Amino acid sequence: MEDIVAVELTTADGHVCYLVTWGRIQSPVEPEPLEALILGVADHFAVRGTPEKARLCWSLKDAREAPYFYEALLHFAHRPIPFGTGYAKWRKRMDRRMRRGQEIYFVGPFKPPTGDSGGTIAFGTAS
């Protein structure tokens, strides 16, 4: 797990979206606490359907095709982590904020399940 991570959220009907947030906050190595947190706050975001599974992506590149991925990356990159004496206090603060649905950036629309052509969200136009 890294300092900034992507999480894949899947709904009961198979739609997928990505979120970007701080890593190593709830656990320095285990993904389950963050995955559970994301499921718990998924209603704060434009989730189409019932969230069923959250999976920590082992690389940010899993979410790089999401429309707002780079905006999220810049958002977190401009907010330095205070390593050293201020880290423990910062980590507790980020944990509290994440549990309220803050410090989590929704970066992508849901991709329809394989074979589903309806309900796709289009961003931008191509002419």
Side-chain angles (χ1 to χ4, degrees):
M1 192 182 305
E2 298 298 326
D3 296 321
I4 301 172
V5 297
V7 178
E8 178 185 88
L9 183 66
T10 307
T11 64
D13 58 355
H15 287 85
V16 174
C17 74
Y18 292 93
L19 301 107
V20 172
T21 190
W22 299 110
R24 303 181 191 228
I25 300 295
Q26 290 72 36
S27 170
V29 293
E30 298 299 328
E32 291 84 5
L34 176 58
E35 293 167 346
L37 185 149
I38 294 295
L39 278 175
V41 299
D43 63 343
H44 287 74
F45 305 99
V47 176
R48 192 175 92 190
T50 305
E52 187 172 80
K53 180 182 177 190
R55 178 188 66 85
L56 175 66
C57 299
W58 293 109
S59 171
L60 285 171
K61 76 177 191 175
D62 292 353
R64 74 181 181 271
E65 298 297 322
Y68 302 110
F69 172 76
Y70 292 101
E71 288 84 349
L73 197 57
L74 288 171
H75 171 81
F76 287 101
H78 287 170
R79 301 176 65 214
I81 299 170
F83 293 110
T85 58
Y87 181 74
K89 183 177 177 180
W90 176 86
R91 182 177 170 197
K92 281 185 176 184
R93 181 171 169 258
M94 290 303 109
D95 183 54
R96 282 192 309 271
R97 291 178 56 78
M98 289 170 72
R99 291 180 190 284
R100 292 191 305 251
Q102 300 169 329
E103 302 296 331
I104 301 168
Y105 205 110
F106 181 83
V107 297
F110 287 81
K111 295 184 286 186
T114 305
D116 179 6
S117 60
T120 304
I121 300 172
F123 287 87
T125 57
S127 298

